[in-house]
Amino acid sequence: MPITILPQSATISGLQDLGDLATSLGGVPCRTRDLPVELEGAEDSGMGVWECSPGQSRRKVAGAEVMHILTGSCTFTPEGGESLEIRAGDTLFFPANTRGIWNILETLRKVYVIFP
């Protein structure tokens, strides 16, 4: 199996415009871009680089997710929990079906892996 490398993922180009998030809250829709990456040998998992403009949105990801924040800053408030401050350099793990509110303060870019 080949090893997958995303060179300089903080500045990598070629992200596809996905438009406004359907789960945006408030008056300003969050705009997203994505660069999905296929992982040989891990076909059921999703991986890539994702970027989102400032704003608020609801998280509705069914799978477990590991992410590393490359640029930007935000808060995440899990349902029934306290707000977490997140910034570039942080690595997070979200258990499956984690719900809550993202408040992106400056454009956020992350590398993610989502497990089914």
Side-chain angles (χ1 to χ4, degrees):
M1 276 183 246
I3 295 172
T4 302
I5 298 175
L6 295 175
Q8 301 302 311
S9 50
T11 58
I12 198 168
S13 60
L15 277 72
Q16 304 164 3
D17 186 0
L18 299 178
D20 295 340
L21 273 178
T23 57
S24 291
L25 303 170
V28 179
C30 302
R31 225 122 164 110
T32 60
R33 299 185 325 142
D34 187 51
L35 178 65
V37 176
E38 288 191 35
L39 296 176
E40 187 173 327
E43 288 78 17
D44 292 338
S45 297
M47 190 259 190
V49 177
W50 182 85
E51 186 176 271
C52 188
S53 66
Q56 288 189 330
S57 65
R58 188 171 307 280
R59 184 177 197 277
K60 293 185 175 183
V61 176
E65 180 177 8
V66 173
M67 66 181 74
H68 180 75
I69 308 302
L70 299 167
T71 62
S73 65
C74 67
T75 62
F76 180 76
T77 307
E79 286 182 352
E82 297 199 18
S83 182
L84 306 168
E85 290 187 23
I86 302 165
R87 63 185 60 92
D90 291 345
T91 302
L92 299 91
F93 173 74
F94 284 78
N97 296 306
T98 299
R99 303 284 189 251
I101 303 296
W102 286 107
N103 184 19
I104 298 175
L105 305 170
E106 40 178 323
T107 298
L108 193 77
R109 182 179 279 206
K110 69 179 182 179
V111 172
Y112 67 89
V113 179
I114 298 176
F115 303 93

